[in-house]
Amino acid sequence: MSYAAYKIMHWPTGISHCAAGFITHSPAEAAAFSSLGPTISGPEGDVDSAAARAPQRVCPTPNLVVVAANVLEVYAVRTDAVMGAEDGGTSSSAGAILDGISGARLELVCYYRLHGNIESMAVLSDGTENTRDSIALAFKDAKIACLEFDDSINGLRTSSMHCFEGPDWLHLKRGRESFACGPVIKADPQGRCGAALFYGLQMIILKAAQVGQSLVGEDEPTRMLSSAAVRIDSSYVIDLRLLEMNHIKDFTFVHGYIEPVLVILHEQEPTWAGRISSKNQTCMISAFSISMSLKQHPMIWSSAKLPHDAYQLLAVPPPISGILVVCANSIRYHSQSTSCSLALNSFSSQPDGSPETPKTSFHVELDAAKATWLSHDIVMFSSKNGEILLLTVVYDGRAVQRLDLMKSKASILSSGATTLGSSFFFLGSRLADSLLVQFSFGVPTSILPDLTDESADIEGDPPFAKRLKRIPSDVLQDVNSVEELSFHNNSVPNSLDSAQKISFVVRDALINVGPLKDFAYGLRTNSDPNAAGIAKQSNYELVCCSGHGKNGTLSALQQSIRPDLITEVRLDAVEVELSHDHLGPRGSRTQPPLPQTLGLPASTAHNASLLLLLSSLAAPSLAPPASGGPCAVEAGVDADGGFMASITNLQQRIA
């Protein structure tokens, strides 16, 4: 009998799903944290001043939750606020300043490797200020796990699990063993319930528990958290076949109703490419009011004769509310009282007898596009070829008048998009580096002069994306702040009411190594010819061709952390090697206790990062101290990159 053994050396990095939510903190906690006054920094030259000037969140910004196949990551957005900076796009030594923010970065909070690929993800949020959000994950074939953040372990824990598999649920499959699409899960924007689509036509309604309640047993005490999180109380199944639905394309919850309202996009009679000319209006949307106490779902309104290429629903935020139906060749707005549409190209079709549909001034296709709302009336689309489009819903206070679409700059080929608060959005990608982008409404007064060219795009200069893979992590923040990108919408809209000028700045990026087209290995440039055993493996590098199209890159992979040798000095007769941290005058950072044999007081502050106690002088180029005795050698790198070494009598230094 033969066995196959393998080890995953590099876990997935391509982002398949992304969402925003207050996972590690509630909105009230974020607001209280951002309202703290600035920390007083130490004197100039004190290295603890950097710790005192730690970046703080300037507004309630939610966490970023990303999924890469079976890897789940939660990030916190950290911003560098400029005190006293004027609004607008001024520039500083750290980078462009937008809305008083000079820089932002993603800080990893927790990281998990799961035992199955995540098919869909949603964030359960009730919209209140004192409640944290929860994460709902859907797995094949019909499994759901709800996670919440626990302060006691500083990580995620499972609050409830739901499985609709096995003999008791075999009737839901109706004889089928495989399905074209995996499970899809969505959440009500007010946190009252969630919905998951399994087995093609089985809708699972997940009822949210009230604050303080959960699915834990009576003998298991509920763990008290600093802020309660949204949890699932019960669930039941709706068979959509009984509602005369055959092919479900998408579904979502809408705003503005007392009870949760679920809108489903489905196809009544399927069509194919050979019958498009005679049968192309085959889709419709149906809105159902979900009564979780009675387990009833009456239909309250519907709209038929939608294009066959409709594939996505977007819930319009309040005060407008309603639904956007995204098609490959058109965009339509529908609500219970009004509707309007916008044709994107000449392939858009209308039902017979309907009025002529307004058209855009340019041709574009929105199939496989990803969308996220930047405000209550502006939605951003990332198309299949990387273009950024801005759609404005023109609203006069009573009804939606029209839809205006404007073309922006190019970006990455994205697999998902989500908005983080009121200043950031995230573009996830399987084919390129995922980007954290800051946006601001209005025209900045000053932008970096070399980045306002119309040929610039949201992904930055091509060398910038490639250099991110080669630079150390400690200088990644500086590179992101120096090589930023800002651009404006220079196209002229149809009306001044829909004219929106938005500035974008790339703040951070998540490195993606994939998909791999080819790879090769070889010796690195500064390899050690005398290495043997395990150390010999560090001499080799793996060079990969990754990405796709304009996002193609070359990635050099290496094992573990490889230091870069600047220079070396031979030191003999080293008796004690002591590595320590700096101790500031305020005593804010503690220092490991020094050996009593050295006779050093505990409050001694050192400025070097390495202290060597020598019994005799080892460097012949340095003169020994005249007083003799033990001496300390301090080595470092000066501001010009040169090597510096000094020898000091240890007794004189303590004095």
Side-chain angles (χ1 to χ4, degrees):
M1 181 179 295
S2 61
Y3 296 91
Y6 72 94
K7 180 181 180 181
I8 299 179
M9 302 300 298
H10 201 291
W11 289 85
T13 56
I15 304 300
S16 55
H17 302 90
C18 59
F22 291 93
I23 308 299
T24 62
H25 57 278
S26 64
E29 293 172 345
F33 182 78
S34 61
S35 62
L36 296 176
T39 307
I40 301 176
S41 59
E44 184 179 359
D46 183 9
V47 295
D48 272 352
S49 301
R53 295 190 299 267
Q56 298 181 356
R57 194 179 293 106
V58 297
C59 63
T61 305
N63 296 102
L64 173 66
V65 185
V66 298
V67 170
N70 63 332
V71 175
L72 176 65
E73 298 175 340
V74 179
Y75 289 90
V77 181
R78 305 300 184 187
T79 58
D80 297 331
V82 179
M83 305 303 296
E86 298 179 357
D87 292 340
T90 59
S91 59
S92 65
S93 58
I97 300 175
L98 203 61
D99 289 343
I101 298 177
S102 62
R105 67 185 185 276
L106 294 174
E107 181 181 296
L108 182 63
V109 177
C110 51
Y111 174 93
Y112 297 95
R113 299 171 181 174
L114 309 181
H115 296 284
N117 291 347
I118 300 174
E119 299 293 332
S120 181
M121 178 180 62
V123 173
L124 304 177
S125 173
D126 62 355
T128 59
E129 295 293 328
N130 298 320
T131 306
R132 294 182 181 180
D133 301 337
S134 299
I135 305 173
L137 305 178
F139 303 87
K140 282 188 175 181
D141 286 319
K143 295 181 284 290
I144 300 176
C146 296
L147 311 175
E148 63 181 22
F149 191 80
D150 191 351
D151 291 328
S152 61
I153 61 175
N154 195 28
L156 299 177
R157 69 181 183 97
T158 304
S159 60
S160 63
M161 300 178 67
H162 312 265
C163 183
F164 301 91
E165 301 176 3
D168 296 338
W169 305 98
L170 195 60
H171 63 282
L172 298 179
K173 292 186 176 182
R174 301 182 68 90
R176 296 184 59 179
E177 291 296 333
S178 62
F179 298 88
C181 300
V184 180
I185 187 170
K186 300 290 182 69
D188 178 48
Q190 297 183 16
R192 295 166 291 188
C193 66
L197 181 65
F198 292 107
Y199 303 134
L201 292 172
Q202 303 296 331
M203 186 70 70
I204 313 296
I205 301 299
L206 306 171
K207 180 183 177 181
Q210 298 180 358
V211 178
Q213 298 181 359
S214 64
L215 286 177
V216 297
E218 297 180 357
D219 55 344
E220 181 181 353
T222 303
R223 192 176 308 179
M224 297 301 295
L225 303 176
S226 59
S227 296
V230 180
R231 298 180 180 180
I232 300 301
D233 184 23
S234 60
S235 61
Y236 66 95
V237 182
I238 300 177
D239 190 356
L240 298 181
R241 289 184 179 88
L242 302 178
L243 303 178
E244 299 181 354
M245 295 184 181
N246 297 323
H247 182 203
I248 307 300
K249 290 191 170 184
D250 196 15
F251 66 96
T252 189
F253 289 91
V254 295
H255 302 262
Y257 290 88
I258 298 177
E259 288 187 335
V261 173
L262 182 65
V263 179
I264 301 177
L265 172 64
H266 58 100
E267 193 171 18
Q268 293 176 305
E269 299 180 7
T271 185
W272 62 293
R275 297 199 61 189
I276 293 300
S277 58
S278 59
K279 190 178 181 180
N280 52 21
Q281 308 294 329
T282 59
C283 292
M284 68 174 297
I285 55 175
S286 302
F288 298 90
S289 179
I290 306 298
S291 177
M292 293 171 289
S293 58
L294 302 176
K295 295 185 179 181
Q296 296 179 356
H297 39 274
M299 185 174 66
I300 56 178
W301 60 274
S302 64
S303 179
K305 294 185 178 181
L306 297 180
H308 70 283
D309 55 1
Y311 69 95
Q312 187 179 10
L313 295 179
L314 295 177
V316 182
I320 302 177
S321 299
I323 200 78
L324 278 180
V325 182
V326 183
C327 312
N329 303 310
S330 62
I331 303 176
R332 297 169 179 267
Y333 170 82
H334 290 272
S335 66
Q336 196 167 357
S337 59
T338 183
S339 63
C340 61
S341 59
L342 177 66
L344 304 178
N345 50 52
S346 58
F347 296 102
S348 176
S349 59
Q350 295 293 327
D352 297 336
S354 61
E356 184 179 359
T357 304
K359 297 183 179 180
T360 60
S361 58
F362 55 92
H363 289 236
V364 68
E365 297 177 356
L366 284 185
D367 53 318
K370 306 301 178 182
T372 184
W373 290 92
L374 301 184
S375 64
H376 70 279
D377 59 347
I378 298 178
V379 59
M380 182 196 70
F381 289 95
S382 177
S383 64
K384 61 182 179 181
N385 56 2
E387 286 185 325
I388 297 295
L389 306 171
L390 298 177
L391 177 69
T392 303
V393 181
V394 181
Y395 180 67
D396 62 354
R398 294 174 298 177
V400 174
Q401 299 297 321
R402 66 184 184 278
L403 304 175
D404 285 340
L405 186 67
M406 296 184 296
K407 182 181 293 187
S408 189
K409 302 301 181 180
S411 181
I412 60 175
L413 304 177
S414 60
S415 60
T418 185
T419 303
L420 302 169
S422 59
S423 301
F424 299 94
F425 67 86
F426 179 79
L427 290 177
S429 177
R430 297 189 187 97
L431 306 175
D433 296 342
S434 302
L435 302 179
L436 175 67
V437 183
Q438 182 187 357
F439 66 93
S440 175
F441 296 96
V443 182
T445 57
S446 174
I447 296 294
L448 298 180
D450 55 340
L451 296 177
T452 56
D453 185 33
E454 295 184 0
S455 61
D457 52 36
I458 200 173
E459 63 184 3
D461 299 332
F464 169 52
K466 294 180 175 60
R467 285 197 297 272
L468 282 177
K469 293 179 170 58
R470 302 198 302 263
I471 59 178
S473 58
D474 54 346
V475 299
L476 180 61
Q477 178 185 355
D478 296 335
V479 174
N480 283 340
S481 61
V482 172
E483 302 198 34
E484 291 153 338
L485 175 69
S486 300
F487 63 90
H488 311 287
N489 302 309
N490 298 323
S491 57
V492 180
N494 298 331
S495 173
L496 294 178
D497 297 335
S498 61
Q500 298 290 342
K501 296 182 178 179
I502 306 179
S503 301
F504 298 85
V505 179
V506 177
R507 293 303 190 185
D508 201 354
L510 298 181
I511 304 300
N512 176 27
V513 184
L516 298 182
K517 302 297 182 63
D518 195 8
F519 61 89
Y521 76 97
L523 288 173
R524 57 187 176 97
T525 55
N526 54 347
S527 60
D528 185 9
N530 299 324
I534 300 178
K536 189 176 181 180
Q537 298 179 1
S538 62
N539 288 338
Y540 293 90
E541 286 182 338
L542 187 66
V543 181
C544 304
C545 296
S546 60
H548 176 75
K550 66 176 184 178
N551 300 128
T553 56
L554 283 176
S555 304
L557 306 181
Q558 63 187 28
Q559 287 187 344
S560 70
I561 299 177
R562 183 178 301 163
D564 228 354
L565 182 61
I566 301 177
T567 185
E568 59 182 354
V569 177
R570 181 177 178 84
L571 298 176
D572 296 328
V574 178
E575 294 184 355
V576 179
E577 179 179 346
L578 190 61
S579 179
H580 59 86
D581 198 0
H582 175 78
L583 182 65
R586 296 183 305 275
S588 58
R589 188 178 301 177
T590 60
Q591 183 183 16
L594 298 177
Q596 299 296 330
T597 56
L598 297 180
L600 298 177
S603 60
T604 302
H606 305 286
N607 294 325
S609 61
L610 184 63
L611 182 65
L612 300 178
L613 184 64
L614 306 180
S615 60
S616 61
L617 188 61
S621 60
L622 299 177
S627 58
C631 56
V633 178
E634 299 177 357
V637 180
D638 59 5
D640 299 330
F643 178 77
M644 298 178 60
S646 61
I647 296 181
T648 308
N649 185 280
L650 191 58
Q651 296 177 355
Q652 294 179 356
R653 178 182 178 88
I654 301 303

